[in-house]
Amino acid sequence: MDKREFLKKAALMTSASILPSSTWAFSDADKLRTAHIGVGGMGMEDLKAMASHSAVEVTALCDVDANRLAAAQKMFPKAKTYADYRVLLKEMSDGIDAVVVSTPDHTHAPASMMAMEMNKAVYCQKPLTHHVSEARAMNKMAKDKNLVTQMGIQVHSFYDYKLGTELIRSGIIGKVKTVHAWSPKNWGFDGPEPSGSDQVPSQLDWNLWLGTAAERPFKENVYHPGNWRKLLDYGCGTLGDMGVHIFDTPYNALDLDVPFTVKNKCRKPTGFGFPENNIVTYRFPATDYTTNKFKWVWYDGPGAPKKHKDLRLPNNEELPDQGAMFVGEKGRLLLPHFMQLPRHIVKGKYVDLDLNKFSDVGSPTQDYGKESNKHYHQFVDACLGKDECTAPFSYAARLTETILLGVIAGRFPNKTLHWNNATSKFDEEEANQFLEGDYREF
């Protein structure tokens, strides 16, 4: 079943309760009733952080794992509980104002799109979607319905990253020629697809966990709870996990759109897991903050990044475990990930920065390592008409699309793919099959 058919069926399930797109039906001008889809792992962190806002009333909880659902319900005993997000949205359509989606990546779009069809504000974990076509569809729906949306890239709201953005835009290193970004995390899997099957744990609804993904037998310790990021059908690899966080500040600071070429240097595809090591090179159209031949290089997996002259630090220091290096016409700026201040480098030496010049984004003594306005609370306040989101789907969709184009390039090792932003297609026809996936009816 394709996405259009899936969304048509989802809309029919909820049609009796859908409000006009211009209508907000909040129960109380000072309260926001939230539904949480996925409450284990990062979902539990999202739940606690969102609920820490005094205006939030946690109204519904949903998870395919009964143990995780029970743990969340113990914290919020008044909330109604569900295993199937479709049933939650159908039954609670008049009782919720906003939906938080914290599932594995392959369910981000199906759950979020169904909620937006019902005119609900949506906070969705990163990466926004599993497929490029989903990112564009979510962006369009959010825009058409004028919905409050936010992607879960919490570092976007931290002082350190706002400072990095302002430093780059101030021109202290001139126009940027290259960005190197890296993470040694290994959300890849170079082994074969497992054979056979194991008994599904009694607390897990395996059919609902698979959702719209293709049906396959359950294998213990392969999919749920922790390894799905490594696998093509459910996650987006290290690039889709850490890449979204580490790309965010350079992408935002340089005012980038989607790239026009992408190439991934990695092993041959296996059809099951993502490569364990990737070197992805993007070429972007120039902006006011970049040179005309600007490029971006991403490294992930054990040993990342590869040695490069642009990455040498003064005094033979070691690079931070994860981060990004801006290489400009007049110097370099190192942005560690995270909780470390940016470092300015000129001619192989650190240059002290007067950070008080950038007081618009905060104070280095008071705001270092802090969120100026909590990312989750910003979403709540935006829903109540008191703030605006800084990572809405209009931004998150472009960033996610950029990430996912590099993920797709991993299926064509060492081949340059050419992306047409206007048509939403690759010039290389064989790559277009990976822009979207078939939705299983479940």
PDB file of all heavy atoms in Angstrom, residues 90-121:
ATOM      1  N   LYS A  90      -8.093   8.106  16.928  1.00  0.00           N
ATOM      2  CA  LYS A  90      -9.517   8.027  16.625  1.00  0.00           C
ATOM      3  C   LYS A  90     -10.357   8.301  17.871  1.00  0.00           C
ATOM      4  O   LYS A  90     -11.296   9.099  17.847  1.00  0.00           O
ATOM      5  CB  LYS A  90      -9.863   6.649  16.062  1.00  0.00           C
ATOM      6  CG  LYS A  90     -11.338   6.463  15.739  1.00  0.00           C
ATOM      7  CD  LYS A  90     -11.624   5.066  15.229  1.00  0.00           C
ATOM      8  CE  LYS A  90     -13.111   4.884  14.933  1.00  0.00           C
ATOM      9  NZ  LYS A  90     -13.418   3.501  14.483  1.00  0.00           N
ATOM     10  N   GLU A  91      -9.997   7.650  18.981  1.00  0.00           N
ATOM     11  CA  GLU A  91     -10.813   7.754  20.183  1.00  0.00           C
ATOM     12  C   GLU A  91     -10.590   9.053  20.958  1.00  0.00           C
ATOM     13  O   GLU A  91     -11.496   9.529  21.646  1.00  0.00           O
ATOM     14  CB  GLU A  91     -10.533   6.568  21.109  1.00  0.00           C
ATOM     15  CG  GLU A  91     -10.987   5.239  20.551  1.00  0.00           C
ATOM     16  CD  GLU A  91     -10.834   4.096  21.542  1.00  0.00           C
ATOM     17  OE1 GLU A  91     -10.331   4.329  22.664  1.00  0.00           O
ATOM     18  OE2 GLU A  91     -11.226   2.964  21.191  1.00  0.00           O
ATOM     19  N   MET A  92      -9.402   9.630  20.824  1.00  0.00           N
ATOM     20  CA  MET A  92      -9.064  10.810  21.632  1.00  0.00           C
ATOM     21  C   MET A  92      -9.030  12.089  20.817  1.00  0.00           C
ATOM     22  O   MET A  92      -8.511  13.102  21.275  1.00  0.00           O
ATOM     23  CB  MET A  92      -7.699  10.597  22.292  1.00  0.00           C
ATOM     24  CG  MET A  92      -7.642   9.450  23.280  1.00  0.00           C
ATOM     25  SD  MET A  92      -8.614   9.781  24.769  1.00  0.00           S
ATOM     26  CE  MET A  92      -7.686  11.119  25.511  1.00  0.00           C
ATOM     27  N   SER A  93      -9.594  12.062  19.637  1.00  0.00           N
ATOM     28  CA  SER A  93      -9.472  13.224  18.746  1.00  0.00           C
ATOM     29  C   SER A  93     -10.017  14.507  19.360  1.00  0.00           C
ATOM     30  O   SER A  93      -9.491  15.592  19.094  1.00  0.00           O
ATOM     31  CB  SER A  93     -10.187  12.940  17.420  1.00  0.00           C
ATOM     32  OG  SER A  93     -11.550  12.636  17.654  1.00  0.00           O
ATOM     33  N   ASP A  94     -11.063  14.401  20.176  1.00  0.00           N
ATOM     34  CA  ASP A  94     -11.627  15.592  20.819  1.00  0.00           C
ATOM     35  C   ASP A  94     -10.977  15.888  22.158  1.00  0.00           C
ATOM     36  O   ASP A  94     -11.273  16.915  22.773  1.00  0.00           O
ATOM     37  CB  ASP A  94     -13.138  15.418  21.029  1.00  0.00           C
ATOM     38  CG  ASP A  94     -13.902  15.431  19.715  1.00  0.00           C
ATOM     39  OD1 ASP A  94     -13.427  16.088  18.771  1.00  0.00           O
ATOM     40  OD2 ASP A  94     -14.958  14.783  19.642  1.00  0.00           O
ATOM     41  N   GLY A  95     -10.086  15.009  22.605  1.00  0.00           N
ATOM     42  CA  GLY A  95      -9.531  15.152  23.944  1.00  0.00           C
ATOM     43  C   GLY A  95      -8.069  15.514  23.994  1.00  0.00           C
ATOM     44  O   GLY A  95      -7.491  15.578  25.082  1.00  0.00           O
ATOM     45  N   ILE A  96      -7.454  15.746  22.823  1.00  0.00           N
ATOM     46  CA  ILE A  96      -6.039  16.106  22.786  1.00  0.00           C
ATOM     47  C   ILE A  96      -5.830  17.313  21.878  1.00  0.00           C
ATOM     48  O   ILE A  96      -6.600  17.549  20.936  1.00  0.00           O
ATOM     49  CB  ILE A  96      -5.152  14.934  22.300  1.00  0.00           C
ATOM     50  CG1 ILE A  96      -5.596  14.455  20.919  1.00  0.00           C
ATOM     51  CG2 ILE A  96      -5.158  13.804  23.312  1.00  0.00           C
ATOM     52  CD1 ILE A  96      -4.706  13.392  20.303  1.00  0.00           C
ATOM     53  N   ASP A  97      -4.785  18.050  22.167  1.00  0.00           N
ATOM     54  CA  ASP A  97      -4.442  19.229  21.377  1.00  0.00           C
ATOM     55  C   ASP A  97      -3.159  19.054  20.591  1.00  0.00           C
ATOM     56  O   ASP A  97      -2.984  19.658  19.542  1.00  0.00           O
ATOM     57  CB  ASP A  97      -4.276  20.447  22.291  1.00  0.00           C
ATOM     58  CG  ASP A  97      -5.466  20.671  23.192  1.00  0.00           C
ATOM     59  OD1 ASP A  97      -6.595  20.704  22.661  1.00  0.00           O
ATOM     60  OD2 ASP A  97      -5.275  20.795  24.417  1.00  0.00           O
ATOM     61  N   ALA A  98      -2.221  18.258  21.132  1.00  0.00           N
ATOM     62  CA  ALA A  98      -0.909  18.104  20.509  1.00  0.00           C
ATOM     63  C   ALA A  98      -0.449  16.664  20.657  1.00  0.00           C
ATOM     64  O   ALA A  98      -0.800  15.975  21.619  1.00  0.00           O
ATOM     65  CB  ALA A  98       0.106  19.044  21.149  1.00  0.00           C
ATOM     66  N   VAL A  99       0.371  16.230  19.685  1.00  0.00           N
ATOM     67  CA  VAL A  99       0.854  14.846  19.653  1.00  0.00           C
ATOM     68  C   VAL A  99       2.378  14.860  19.606  1.00  0.00           C
ATOM     69  O   VAL A  99       2.975  15.614  18.821  1.00  0.00           O
ATOM     70  CB  VAL A  99       0.290  14.096  18.431  1.00  0.00           C
ATOM     71  CG1 VAL A  99       0.856  12.678  18.355  1.00  0.00           C
ATOM     72  CG2 VAL A  99      -1.240  14.056  18.494  1.00  0.00           C
ATOM     73  N   VAL A 100       2.989  14.021  20.435  1.00  0.00           N
ATOM     74  CA  VAL A 100       4.444  13.868  20.469  1.00  0.00           C
ATOM     75  C   VAL A 100       4.780  12.486  19.920  1.00  0.00           C
ATOM     76  O   VAL A 100       4.324  11.470  20.464  1.00  0.00           O
ATOM     77  CB  VAL A 100       4.994  14.023  21.897  1.00  0.00           C
ATOM     78  CG1 VAL A 100       6.519  13.883  21.911  1.00  0.00           C
ATOM     79  CG2 VAL A 100       4.570  15.360  22.489  1.00  0.00           C
ATOM     80  N   VAL A 101       5.550  12.438  18.839  1.00  0.00           N
ATOM     81  CA  VAL A 101       5.878  11.180  18.171  1.00  0.00           C
ATOM     82  C   VAL A 101       7.338  10.834  18.449  1.00  0.00           C
ATOM     83  O   VAL A 101       8.247  11.546  18.021  1.00  0.00           O
ATOM     84  CB  VAL A 101       5.628  11.276  16.654  1.00  0.00           C
ATOM     85  CG1 VAL A 101       6.005   9.963  15.960  1.00  0.00           C
ATOM     86  CG2 VAL A 101       4.153  11.619  16.382  1.00  0.00           C
ATOM     87  N   SER A 102       7.555   9.731  19.161  1.00  0.00           N
ATOM     88  CA  SER A 102       8.903   9.330  19.587  1.00  0.00           C
ATOM     89  C   SER A 102       9.151   7.855  19.295  1.00  0.00           C
ATOM     90  O   SER A 102       9.766   7.146  20.093  1.00  0.00           O
ATOM     91  CB  SER A 102       9.081   9.619  21.081  1.00  0.00           C
ATOM     92  OG  SER A 102       8.714  10.928  21.412  1.00  0.00           O
ATOM     93  N   THR A 103       8.682   7.399  18.177  1.00  0.00           N
ATOM     94  CA  THR A 103       8.794   6.005  17.760  1.00  0.00           C
ATOM     95  C   THR A 103      10.093   5.780  16.990  1.00  0.00           C
ATOM     96  O   THR A 103      10.817   6.731  16.696  1.00  0.00           O
ATOM     97  CB  THR A 103       7.624   5.669  16.825  1.00  0.00           C
ATOM     98  OG1 THR A 103       7.773   6.476  15.635  1.00  0.00           O
ATOM     99  CG2 THR A 103       6.280   5.972  17.461  1.00  0.00           C
ATOM    100  N   PRO A 104      10.406   4.522  16.598  1.00  0.00           N
ATOM    101  CA  PRO A 104      11.451   4.327  15.588  1.00  0.00           C
ATOM    102  C   PRO A 104      11.130   5.115  14.317  1.00  0.00           C
ATOM    103  O   PRO A 104       9.960   5.428  14.029  1.00  0.00           O
ATOM    104  CB  PRO A 104      11.418   2.814  15.355  1.00  0.00           C
ATOM    105  CG  PRO A 104      10.980   2.255  16.667  1.00  0.00           C
ATOM    106  CD  PRO A 104       9.950   3.239  17.170  1.00  0.00           C
ATOM    107  N   ASP A 105      12.172   5.404  13.541  1.00  0.00           N
ATOM    108  CA  ASP A 105      12.059   6.351  12.427  1.00  0.00           C
ATOM    109  C   ASP A 105      10.964   5.999  11.425  1.00  0.00           C
ATOM    110  O   ASP A 105      10.304   6.892  10.880  1.00  0.00           O
ATOM    111  CB  ASP A 105      13.395   6.439  11.680  1.00  0.00           C
ATOM    112  CG  ASP A 105      14.529   6.938  12.556  1.00  0.00           C
ATOM    113  OD1 ASP A 105      14.277   7.423  13.677  1.00  0.00           O
ATOM    114  OD2 ASP A 105      15.700   6.824  12.127  1.00  0.00           O
ATOM    115  N   HIS A 106      10.765   4.714  11.153  1.00  0.00           N
ATOM    116  CA  HIS A 106       9.836   4.339  10.086  1.00  0.00           C
ATOM    117  C   HIS A 106       8.386   4.664  10.422  1.00  0.00           C
ATOM    118  O   HIS A 106       7.531   4.658   9.521  1.00  0.00           O
ATOM    119  CB  HIS A 106       9.991   2.854   9.734  1.00  0.00           C
ATOM    120  CG  HIS A 106       9.517   1.909  10.801  1.00  0.00           C
ATOM    121  ND1 HIS A 106      10.176   1.747  11.999  1.00  0.00           N
ATOM    122  CD2 HIS A 106       8.454   1.060  10.847  1.00  0.00           C
ATOM    123  CE1 HIS A 106       9.556   0.845  12.732  1.00  0.00           C
ATOM    124  NE2 HIS A 106       8.499   0.418  12.055  1.00  0.00           N
ATOM    125  N   THR A 107       8.084   4.960  11.688  1.00  0.00           N
ATOM    126  CA  THR A 107       6.714   5.294  12.070  1.00  0.00           C
ATOM    127  C   THR A 107       6.528   6.788  12.291  1.00  0.00           C
ATOM    128  O   THR A 107       5.420   7.255  12.516  1.00  0.00           O
ATOM    129  CB  THR A 107       6.311   4.493  13.331  1.00  0.00           C
ATOM    130  OG1 THR A 107       6.445   3.092  13.045  1.00  0.00           O
ATOM    131  CG2 THR A 107       4.881   4.733  13.758  1.00  0.00           C
ATOM    132  N   HIS A 108       7.590   7.574  12.191  1.00  0.00           N
ATOM    133  CA  HIS A 108       7.465   9.019  12.380  1.00  0.00           C
ATOM    134  C   HIS A 108       6.412   9.626  11.461  1.00  0.00           C
ATOM    135  O   HIS A 108       5.505  10.329  11.918  1.00  0.00           O
ATOM    136  CB  HIS A 108       8.804   9.708  12.121  1.00  0.00           C
ATOM    137  CG  HIS A 108       9.793   9.556  13.230  1.00  0.00           C
ATOM    138  ND1 HIS A 108      11.033  10.170  13.200  1.00  0.00           N
ATOM    139  CD2 HIS A 108       9.747   8.856  14.387  1.00  0.00           C
ATOM    140  CE1 HIS A 108      11.698   9.852  14.300  1.00  0.00           C
ATOM    141  NE2 HIS A 108      10.946   9.049  15.027  1.00  0.00           N
ATOM    142  N   ALA A 109       6.542   9.387  10.167  1.00  0.00           N
ATOM    143  CA  ALA A 109       5.630  10.022   9.212  1.00  0.00           C
ATOM    144  C   ALA A 109       4.212   9.479   9.294  1.00  0.00           C
ATOM    145  O   ALA A 109       3.256  10.272   9.322  1.00  0.00           O
ATOM    146  CB  ALA A 109       6.181   9.898   7.791  1.00  0.00           C
ATOM    147  N   PRO A 110       4.003   8.152   9.313  1.00  0.00           N
ATOM    148  CA  PRO A 110       2.625   7.669   9.396  1.00  0.00           C
ATOM    149  C   PRO A 110       1.862   8.217  10.598  1.00  0.00           C
ATOM    150  O   PRO A 110       0.712   8.651  10.472  1.00  0.00           O
ATOM    151  CB  PRO A 110       2.799   6.152   9.476  1.00  0.00           C
ATOM    152  CG  PRO A 110       4.063   5.878   8.762  1.00  0.00           C
ATOM    153  CD  PRO A 110       4.955   7.043   9.100  1.00  0.00           C
ATOM    154  N   ALA A 111       2.501   8.236  11.773  1.00  0.00           N
ATOM    155  CA  ALA A 111       1.822   8.738  12.970  1.00  0.00           C
ATOM    156  C   ALA A 111       1.643  10.247  12.914  1.00  0.00           C
ATOM    157  O   ALA A 111       0.565  10.770  13.238  1.00  0.00           O
ATOM    158  CB  ALA A 111       2.604   8.334  14.214  1.00  0.00           C
ATOM    159  N   SER A 112       2.678  10.955  12.501  1.00  0.00           N
ATOM    160  CA  SER A 112       2.599  12.426  12.449  1.00  0.00           C
ATOM    161  C   SER A 112       1.588  12.897  11.419  1.00  0.00           C
ATOM    162  O   SER A 112       0.821  13.840  11.665  1.00  0.00           O
ATOM    163  CB  SER A 112       3.974  13.014  12.124  1.00  0.00           C
ATOM    164  OG  SER A 112       4.907  12.737  13.136  1.00  0.00           O
ATOM    165  N   MET A 113       1.577  12.264  10.244  1.00  0.00           N
ATOM    166  CA  MET A 113       0.647  12.676   9.196  1.00  0.00           C
ATOM    167  C   MET A 113      -0.795  12.450   9.622  1.00  0.00           C
ATOM    168  O   MET A 113      -1.672  13.279   9.362  1.00  0.00           O
ATOM    169  CB  MET A 113       0.949  11.913   7.901  1.00  0.00           C
ATOM    170  CG  MET A 113       2.244  12.315   7.236  1.00  0.00           C
ATOM    171  SD  MET A 113       2.198  13.943   6.459  1.00  0.00           S
ATOM    172  CE  MET A 113       1.354  13.572   4.920  1.00  0.00           C
ATOM    173  N   MET A 114      -1.053  11.343  10.297  1.00  0.00           N
ATOM    174  CA  MET A 114      -2.409  11.079  10.760  1.00  0.00           C
ATOM    175  C   MET A 114      -2.837  12.125  11.789  1.00  0.00           C
ATOM    176  O   MET A 114      -3.974  12.613  11.757  1.00  0.00           O
ATOM    177  CB  MET A 114      -2.500   9.678  11.351  1.00  0.00           C
ATOM    178  CG  MET A 114      -3.909   9.252  11.704  1.00  0.00           C
ATOM    179  SD  MET A 114      -3.968   7.509  12.180  1.00  0.00           S
ATOM    180  CE  MET A 114      -5.711   7.375  12.596  1.00  0.00           C
ATOM    181  N   ALA A 115      -1.913  12.488  12.687  1.00  0.00           N
ATOM    182  CA  ALA A 115      -2.230  13.518  13.676  1.00  0.00           C
ATOM    183  C   ALA A 115      -2.470  14.864  13.011  1.00  0.00           C
ATOM    184  O   ALA A 115      -3.395  15.606  13.379  1.00  0.00           O
ATOM    185  CB  ALA A 115      -1.096  13.618  14.693  1.00  0.00           C
ATOM    186  N   MET A 116      -1.650  15.208  12.026  1.00  0.00           N
ATOM    187  CA  MET A 116      -1.828  16.490  11.341  1.00  0.00           C
ATOM    188  C   MET A 116      -3.101  16.515  10.515  1.00  0.00           C
ATOM    189  O   MET A 116      -3.722  17.576  10.353  1.00  0.00           O
ATOM    190  CB  MET A 116      -0.601  16.799  10.485  1.00  0.00           C
ATOM    191  CG  MET A 116       0.625  17.175  11.301  1.00  0.00           C
ATOM    192  SD  MET A 116       1.967  17.914  10.323  1.00  0.00           S
ATOM    193  CE  MET A 116       2.464  16.518   9.322  1.00  0.00           C
ATOM    194  N   GLU A 117      -3.498  15.368   9.970  1.00  0.00           N
ATOM    195  CA  GLU A 117      -4.781  15.291   9.272  1.00  0.00           C
ATOM    196  C   GLU A 117      -5.911  15.731  10.200  1.00  0.00           C
ATOM    197  O   GLU A 117      -6.915  16.291   9.758  1.00  0.00           O
ATOM    198  CB  GLU A 117      -5.048  13.856   8.796  1.00  0.00           C
ATOM    199  CG  GLU A 117      -4.277  13.433   7.575  1.00  0.00           C
ATOM    200  CD  GLU A 117      -4.945  13.882   6.286  1.00  0.00           C
ATOM    201  OE1 GLU A 117      -5.934  14.627   6.358  1.00  0.00           O
ATOM    202  OE2 GLU A 117      -4.455  13.494   5.214  1.00  0.00           O
ATOM    203  N   MET A 118      -5.719  15.503  11.498  1.00  0.00           N
ATOM    204  CA  MET A 118      -6.722  15.866  12.498  1.00  0.00           C
ATOM    205  C   MET A 118      -6.477  17.267  13.064  1.00  0.00           C
ATOM    206  O   MET A 118      -7.087  17.647  14.063  1.00  0.00           O
ATOM    207  CB  MET A 118      -6.703  14.841  13.625  1.00  0.00           C
ATOM    208  CG  MET A 118      -6.992  13.420  13.181  1.00  0.00           C
ATOM    209  SD  MET A 118      -6.640  12.215  14.487  1.00  0.00           S
ATOM    210  CE  MET A 118      -7.816  12.726  15.719  1.00  0.00           C
ATOM    211  N   ASN A 119      -5.554  17.994  12.433  1.00  0.00           N
ATOM    212  CA  ASN A 119      -5.258  19.364  12.833  1.00  0.00           C
ATOM    213  C   ASN A 119      -4.626  19.474  14.216  1.00  0.00           C
ATOM    214  O   ASN A 119      -4.851  20.451  14.945  1.00  0.00           O
ATOM    215  CB  ASN A 119      -6.518  20.245  12.756  1.00  0.00           C
ATOM    216  CG  ASN A 119      -7.104  20.283  11.377  1.00  0.00           C
ATOM    217  OD1 ASN A 119      -6.501  20.831  10.456  1.00  0.00           O
ATOM    218  ND2 ASN A 119      -8.245  19.650  11.207  1.00  0.00           N
ATOM    219  N   LYS A 120      -3.814  18.477  14.556  1.00  0.00           N
ATOM    220  CA  LYS A 120      -3.114  18.516  15.831  1.00  0.00           C
ATOM    221  C   LYS A 120      -1.700  19.059  15.645  1.00  0.00           C
ATOM    222  O   LYS A 120      -1.025  18.745  14.653  1.00  0.00           O
ATOM    223  CB  LYS A 120      -3.029  17.117  16.451  1.00  0.00           C
ATOM    224  CG  LYS A 120      -4.375  16.416  16.623  1.00  0.00           C
ATOM    225  CD  LYS A 120      -5.347  17.229  17.478  1.00  0.00           C
ATOM    226  CE  LYS A 120      -6.691  16.528  17.593  1.00  0.00           C
ATOM    227  NZ  LYS A 120      -7.682  17.374  18.320  1.00  0.00           N
ATOM    228  N   ALA A 121      -1.245  19.853  16.608  1.00  0.00           N
ATOM    229  CA  ALA A 121       0.158  20.260  16.637  1.00  0.00           C
ATOM    230  C   ALA A 121       1.005  19.016  16.863  1.00  0.00           C
ATOM    231  O   ALA A 121       0.598  18.099  17.576  1.00  0.00           O
ATOM    232  CB  ALA A 121       0.385  21.269  17.755  1.00  0.00           C
TER     233      ALA A 121
END
